[in-house]
Amino acid sequence: MEKGPRKARRRAMAALALLPFAGAIGAEPEVPVRIGLTPVFLDDQAGFLRQWKAYLERRLHRPVAFVQRGSYREVYELLGLGHIDFAWLCGYPYVRLGRRVKLLAVPVFQGKPLYRSYLIVPASDARTRSLLDLRGRVFAYSDPDSNSGYLFPRYYLIRNGENPDTFFLRTFFTWAHRKVVEAVASGLAHGGAVDSYVWETLAQIHPELTAKTRVAAHSPEFGHPPFVARSGASPRDFAALQAALTGMDDDPEGQALLRRLNLDGFSVERPELFDSIARMWRATQGA
């Protein structure tokens, strides 16, 4: 994570990229900066996105369009087609996309650009201590392109000599981490894999929901789901959006939006932050 003078120099340089935008607004409507998103956990998601959109437009001096889809795959396919320029993805599709995308910014959660995969079970289950205790049970995954909600639990089973396709009685996808928590809390699943950031945030805003679950185990830390840019995105747009995101913790309005997201901010990180996810992906190929 960048700190001190280094961060200040980077922000000053990136801010220069914003200057042409202010003078470029003229008679012709500008093409918006298009950002792909998957569902988040907020109750007032639409209201929050309107505020975030307005904030970014003021910082970029450009129109912004959030393009929402229900899965990571839909979002990264839009990137590949050039229909969006940027996206908030998971680290798993990020490493698979390789040179087709560039790392833009990484959320900072509880002081680090990292998160974990949580194994959650119903609160009434006091026995389960690891994924191996759920043999022959019903298990909820979040998304087939999720690291915490799919890749890591499958990798864990393979490393322990198990076949993830036959280990459980049944598995299903909920297509959102919040819905994994809801499935386990309601008894639809005996266990589930969920993003620690989402579970911890829900524990703050909906403790009555997470109280019906228990974190039975967790993974090592991984690079937090990042913002990425398609490889053909404008360098000027890249620098401007990077500056806008990493500068959110420097002003009251940005700080208020970050509090809604339960994040400390965004930082510029090296791609190597996601090497452990890439290793798990390679280890699960053909499994």
Side-chain angles (χ1 to χ4, degrees):
M1 202 184 316
E2 296 189 333
K3 297 180 180 179
R6 182 182 172 195
K7 183 176 182 181
R9 284 196 300 272
R10 176 181 52 72
R11 286 183 175 169
M13 292 176 65
L16 294 176
L18 300 178
L19 297 179
F21 293 144
I25 299 175
E28 273 189 29
E30 290 187 276
V31 175
V33 176
R34 300 163 299 178
I35 303 171
L37 298 174
T38 53
V40 293
F41 46 79
L42 299 168
D43 290 325
D44 182 19
Q45 178 172 319
F48 171 81
L49 291 180
R50 281 195 299 271
Q51 293 174 26
W52 200 12
K53 174 180 182 292
Y55 173 84
L56 290 175
E57 287 177 336
R58 286 192 293 273
R59 294 295 300 267
L60 299 175
H61 305 284
R62 285 278 300 282
V64 169
F66 284 129
V67 180
Q68 296 177 263
R69 293 293 184 269
S71 69
Y72 289 125
R73 182 172 298 275
E74 291 174 284
V75 171
Y76 70 67
E77 285 178 349
L78 290 176
L79 275 174
L81 293 170
H83 293 169
I84 58 176
D85 310 296
F86 306 96
W88 194 352
L89 281 179
C90 179
Y92 184 24
Y94 165 64
V95 300
R96 297 207 320 272
L97 288 168
R99 294 183 180 180
R100 287 173 284 176
V101 294
K102 297 183 291 184
L103 186 60
L104 179 77
V106 181
V108 179
F109 174 57
Q110 297 181 343
K112 296 182 286 186
L114 305 170
Y115 81 125
R116 300 177 187 268
S117 172
Y118 277 179
L119 167 65
I120 60 170
V121 297
S124 58
D125 177 358
R127 180 186 66 85
T128 299
R129 290 290 179 268
S130 85
L131 193 58
L132 299 176
D133 294 327
L134 293 177
R135 181 190 300 277
R137 312 302 291 277
V138 176
F139 194 79
Y141 292 119
S142 65
D143 185 303
D145 294 298
S146 169
N147 169 52
S148 60
Y150 185 69
L151 176 63
F152 174 75
R154 288 178 63 84
Y155 171 79
Y156 181 88
L157 290 172
I158 291 167
R159 283 294 302 269
N160 283 276
E162 301 290 349
N163 182 341
D165 293 326
T166 59
F167 181 80
F168 299 109
L169 173 66
R170 183 170 67 88
T171 63
F172 62 93
F173 292 106
T174 69
W175 301 101
H177 288 284
R178 177 174 179 155
K179 291 182 179 179
V180 171
V181 181
E182 291 172 349
V184 174
S186 67
L188 289 176
H190 299 111
V194 66
D195 180 321
S196 65
Y197 159 65
V198 174
W199 192 93
E200 295 291 351
T201 301
L202 286 173
Q204 291 185 19
I205 62 177
H206 286 294
E208 75 286 354
L209 173 61
T210 53
K212 296 176 183 177
T213 70
R214 177 176 67 84
V215 178
H218 61 72
S219 72
E221 292 179 318
F222 302 114
H224 203 290
F227 266 87
V228 303
R230 65 182 181 88
S231 58
S234 156
R236 187 176 68 173
D237 288 356
F238 183 98
L241 182 57
Q242 187 176 74
L245 291 173
T246 58
M248 287 181 68
D249 60 345
D250 281 343
D251 68 80
E253 187 181 0
Q255 291 165 7
L257 291 168
L258 288 170
R259 284 194 295 273
R260 295 275 302 279
L261 286 170
N262 193 29
L263 292 173
D264 302 327
F266 291 90
S267 66
V268 175
E269 302 292 336
R270 296 181 61 81
E272 289 78 10
L273 183 68
F274 300 89
D275 280 355
S276 60
I277 297 176
R279 288 193 293 270
M280 290 192 301
W281 170 44
R282 290 191 294 268
T284 58
Q285 291 301 287

